[in-house]
Structures are given as structure tokens and as C-alpha cells.
Amino acid sequence: MEFNPTKKVPFSARQAEWYEKAKANLNPKRLQQLLLELTNIHSPTGATRDAANYMQHRLEMVGMETKTHDLSAISRSVMGEYRGLGGGASLLLYAPLDTHLDRTKEEEILSGEGQEADVQPYAQQVDDWVFGLGASNPKGMIATHTEVCTALIEARIPLKGNLLLGMADGGMPVDIKERHSGMSNGVLGLLNRGMYPDFAIIMKPWNWVYHEEPGMAWFKIRVRGTMGYAGIPHDAPGFRSSVVPAATVIQELQAWLPEYTRRNTSGVIAPHGWIAGVRGGQMERPAFPSAVTDIFFDVRVNPRVSPADVKAQFAAFIADLKSRKPEIELDWEMYGSVPGGTTDPDNWIIQSAKRGWEHVEGRPHGTPDYLAGQTDGAALRRYGVPTARIGWPWPATGAPMPVAEGLGGMGATYVPDLMPCAEKILYAVIDTLTRGRSELGLSAG
């Protein structure tokens, strides 16, 4: 997708002065201390109450008015507000509060033994680094947003609009059934309880500004056979393995996924998909081959494609597979779906975020890399909130402690990497909240 050059809306002399004054207050050591303390509070999806209480106290110390929303006895989301003089817009800085892992023994099938520093449910600090589960995502984002708000309030910038800082449970792409949490349930709860802003900025890894993000579609394929016994020969009449045909289905699915991505790529979204796991049989009964083997996976949903359309595409794949492999008995279902979300790339907040990016980077923004990562930003956009996503280089390189390969615990943060992103967000905050509503394309109210 080709982007037009960023719209030039220069700062006035006063705005430039305010920006420099607030930027001088950005404190990496304060940010790092907050990140260390917050990472030390274990907050898996559906159990964020302690982390929310900590952040509520922190925001009140900064000078923001706060309120919370409870989703259960152990799940809480929190919002802070700093009101301007009036006549301006409301801008939400947002990040989820929950981590994608709980680090229970049962999760080792997902994370492995997990001895690396970035997957531990506690924080460690080495020089400018902070390690621990979620120290990068989401807690590095929370700490950065908080530092932006703190620096701005300390500088006593005369804002016209209202600055909001929101942190919700349920932001990870999971569905924790016993806690009824995940898939953006927390941010929607905050939006429904007074947090709804004119604009929003979310922070997420990758050093670009994005105006859209994908959704998700979760599928399960069940390959059927019959229950067997290890003591019978392979050609025993009436026995059909579910495990061996599942291997064929996996190979077919793995070949289909890149084709799905190619067909559905548009805008800045390349919606990838990955097979997440295979489940069948019981470790306690290896003598009895399982009658069913389940394959489950996630494919991402482009904002211009509905989950229903993705379901139809997958149904066509299954029909073709069955026609070519009639000996394989299987059925399938979509068991989870979240649509994507997009904001007009010419919207004020997208352009403002790009101006901040260009101001700090000293170069034109250009066309960003394709994106497949899903966040609560998609939910904000679906609810009609114009939302910009802005980030920092990831993964951090040169870690002095062992970290997991691949995604890991999203928990290795080099604080100097966060500071340019803080400056970009601060630029967009001052650009947006020191202007009247009409300048931003909003009704006067």
C-alpha cells in the first residue's frame, strides 16, 4: 500500500516550547523503576487486580483522577484522567495490563521449562535492562505511557483537551474460560464505562505508525478414527488411526496457510496463520491409540475481510481436501473470532503520530512493514475510536541474560529503546491536546 506524505501541521512557537519543556522531564530511570516494580506483580489474563491497584495508586500520585472496572473478584482494569482547560479533544493512551502466560506447571507444554529471564513471573534488572514476564509487552508500554503523562503533568502544559490513560485486563489473544477473560473483554468494558475518547494511541513493538490491525479466527479440525490397541497388527480389520491421517492434514494445512496470507494481504496487513497444537490420546494410556486427534490453529483476519468470509475460505479448503483424500474422516469448527479494525490513514491522530515519528526520527515515515500482530487497538477501532499504533524496535538485541527464542515471555526490555517512542507519543499528545476541537476536525461540542 502506497502512502501519501505526512500532512504538515507545524507546531507554533508556544507548542514547540511546551514540547521541549515536557520532553526534558522524561526520565528513563523513573520509567525503569516503574517497569521493574510493575513486572514484579504477576498479572496473567483474568488476574490483574493487584497490578491495577498498583497502577491506580501510581496515577493518583502523578495527579490523575482514577476509576476502576472489575470483571471478577481478581480481575480489574483502571483508567486515569487529567482534564484540560476545555474546548479540546480527549486522547487515550492505552495498553493492556495482562500477560499471555500464567507460568503454571500445566503451561510448560506451551512455554517449555522456561528457565530464561524473560519468562519468569518476577523482575530482574541489569544495567538499563529489565527482564521478566511481560516486561516488554505489555508492561513496557504501560511504563512508557505513564512516563509521558508524568512528564506532561509536571511541565504544567496548558492543555485544552483531556488526557486519558487506560489499562485493561483481557488484552492478550487468549480465552481463559475459567476466568471469563481474554479477546479484548477488558477494554470494551472500559469504553462502555466512560473511557470512550475522541482519539487513541496504543503502543506496541515495531518502530512504525500503523492505522489498522488484524483480527483473529480460531479453528479446530477433528480427525476421526477408532480406538485401537498396540497389541494388534497394523492391518487389523476395522481399526482406523486418527493420528496418522492427522499428520497428512497438518501438511495440507501448512501448505494452505501461506496461500491464505497471499490472498488476503492488503493495506498494511499480511494476515499470517500458524498451527498451534495437536491433541489426542493420553500419556497414561500409550497402548491405546486415540479415536480422535484435534488440530487447532489461529489465522489472522484482515480488516477488509470478515471472520465469516475467512470461515468460508477455510470451508473451501476442507472441501477440496476431502475430495482429494476421501479416506480421511474429519470435521471442523471455528471456535473463536475477532474482526480486525481500521482507521482512515488521513485521520488526525494517524497524521499526528506520524509527525511525532518523523520529528524524532528525522526522516519521512514512508510505508511500514506488513503487520499481523493483533491488539486491543482493533477493538478500539471497531468501536469507532480513531486509533494510532506506534512502537519501538523489537526484539531488543544484546541482552546480558538468556532470553527465549521466538516470542518467549515478551519480557526483555532495553529502556533506552523506549525513550524515542515516549518522545513520539509526547509529540502527538501536545499536537492534539493543545488545539481546539475544530482544528482536529471534530464538532465544537
Side-chain angles (χ1 to χ4, degrees):
M1 180 176 182
E2 292 296 328
F3 282 88
N4 294 324
T6 302
K7 295 180 180 178
K8 303 300 182 185
V9 183
F11 272 175
S12 68
R14 291 297 307 278
Q15 287 174 314
E17 177 186 334
W18 293 333
Y19 174 71
E20 293 300 327
K21 182 179 180 182
K23 187 175 78 168
N25 285 344
L26 290 172
N27 186 332
K29 293 301 182 184
R30 180 170 58 191
L31 189 160
Q32 185 173 18
Q33 185 62 33
L34 169 59
L35 177 57
L36 182 72
E37 293 174 9
L38 183 58
T39 303
N40 248 334
I41 303 173
H42 192 41
S43 59
T45 302
T48 60
R49 188 181 185 91
D50 290 344
N53 288 343
Y54 171 86
M55 285 308 305
Q56 181 180 21
H57 177 67
R58 182 62 177 252
L59 297 188
E60 289 173 350
M61 288 178 59
V62 168
M64 304 185 87
E65 297 181 3
T66 66
K67 61 181 176 181
T68 61
H69 171 56
D70 289 350
L71 294 98
S72 74
I74 60 172
S75 172
R76 173 170 286 178
S77 302
V78 61
M79 183 191 79
E81 182 177 23
Y82 181 73
R83 293 188 180 182
L85 302 173
S90 56
L91 172 61
L92 167 67
L93 306 185
Y94 176 79
L97 192 55
D98 55 311
T99 62
H100 64 302
L101 296 175
D102 196 347
R103 287 315 312 269
T104 61
K105 187 70 175 177
E106 292 75 19
E107 282 185 355
E108 286 190 1
I109 197 167
L110 178 66
S111 64
E113 294 180 358
Q115 300 303 309
E116 298 85 358
D118 60 323
V119 293
Q120 304 310 317
Y122 54 84
Q124 302 178 73
Q125 179 175 317
V126 180
D127 299 325
D128 290 330
W129 289 80
V130 176
F131 300 93
L133 182 62
S136 173
N137 182 358
K139 295 179 180 182
M141 292 127 61
I142 293 171
T144 305
H145 281 325
T146 304
E147 183 58 31
V148 169
C149 293
T150 303
L152 190 76
I153 294 170
E154 284 182 344
R156 299 185 181 276
I157 307 302
L159 304 180
K160 292 184 178 181
N162 301 331
L163 178 61
L164 308 177
L165 176 53
M167 292 151 279
D169 195 1
M172 292 294 143
V174 298
D175 182 19
I176 309 301
K177 294 187 183 302
E178 67 271 18
R179 295 176 180 167
H180 307 287
S181 190
M183 302 177 78
S184 297
N185 69 315
V187 69
L188 297 181
L190 282 181
L191 288 176
N192 289 333
R193 288 162 178 83
M195 193 183 73
Y196 199 105
D198 291 301
F199 305 109
I201 294 174
I202 64 168
M203 188 178 167
K204 200 73 174 178
W206 293 348
N207 188 25
W208 296 103
V209 175
Y210 288 100
H211 69 284
E212 60 184 6
E213 291 173 279
M216 305 178 292
W218 296 348
F219 291 93
K220 181 181 75 174
I221 302 172
R222 171 157 287 185
V223 182
R224 296 188 178 276
T226 58
M227 184 176 175
Y229 176 56
I232 61 174
H234 279 216
D235 59 353
F239 171 67
R240 290 180 295 108
S241 172
S242 70
V243 178
V244 176
T248 298
V249 174
I250 288 170
Q251 293 299 322
E252 293 279 346
L253 178 59
Q254 184 65 18
W256 176 79
L257 287 171
E259 286 300 309
Y260 166 86
T261 301
R262 181 186 59 79
R263 287 194 309 271
N264 292 278
T265 294
S266 67
V268 298
I269 304 299
H272 298 296
W274 280 92
I275 299 169
V278 181
R279 183 176 61 194
Q282 293 181 324
M283 290 284 290
E284 300 84 0
R285 295 176 174 82
F288 299 95
S290 176
V292 297
T293 299
D294 291 333
I295 305 161
F296 47 98
F297 63 98
D298 174 337
V299 293
R300 296 301 160 97
V301 179
N302 194 297
R304 284 158 291 281
V305 178
S306 74
D309 185 87
V310 174
K311 187 175 182 180
Q313 293 184 52
F314 184 69
F317 159 73
I318 291 291
D320 175 69
L321 175 61
K322 285 184 172 181
S323 70
R324 292 183 292 105
K325 307 283 185 181
E327 71 280 8
I328 299 178
E329 182 182 343
L330 61 83
D331 51 44
W332 64 276
E333 63 173 317
M334 175 192 278
Y335 68 96
S337 62
V338 173
T342 189
T343 296
D344 185 338
D346 289 329
N347 186 274
W348 170 271
I349 197 59
I350 305 300
Q351 294 296 312
S352 180
K354 286 187 175 181
R355 287 192 291 273
W357 191 97
E358 292 180 349
H359 180 83
V360 174
E361 294 284 334
R363 57 190 171 97
H365 183 273
T367 303
D369 297 332
Y370 279 119
L371 180 69
Q374 188 271 344
T375 78
D376 281 341
L380 288 165
R381 296 183 185 95
R382 291 195 307 271
Y383 253 51
V385 178
T387 301
R389 166 177 168 161
I390 191 166
W392 72 101
W394 186 88
T397 58
M401 298 183 72
V403 295
E405 296 179 359
L407 185 64
M410 299 191 287
T413 298
Y414 184 57
V415 172
D417 282 348
L418 300 178
M419 299 312 295
C421 190
E423 294 177 7
K424 296 167 188 176
I425 295 169
L426 179 63
Y427 186 103
V429 171
I430 290 177
D431 194 23
T432 301
L433 295 185
T434 60
R435 302 180 188 272
R437 294 180 63 85
S438 61
E439 290 185 78
L440 311 174
L442 302 172
S443 63

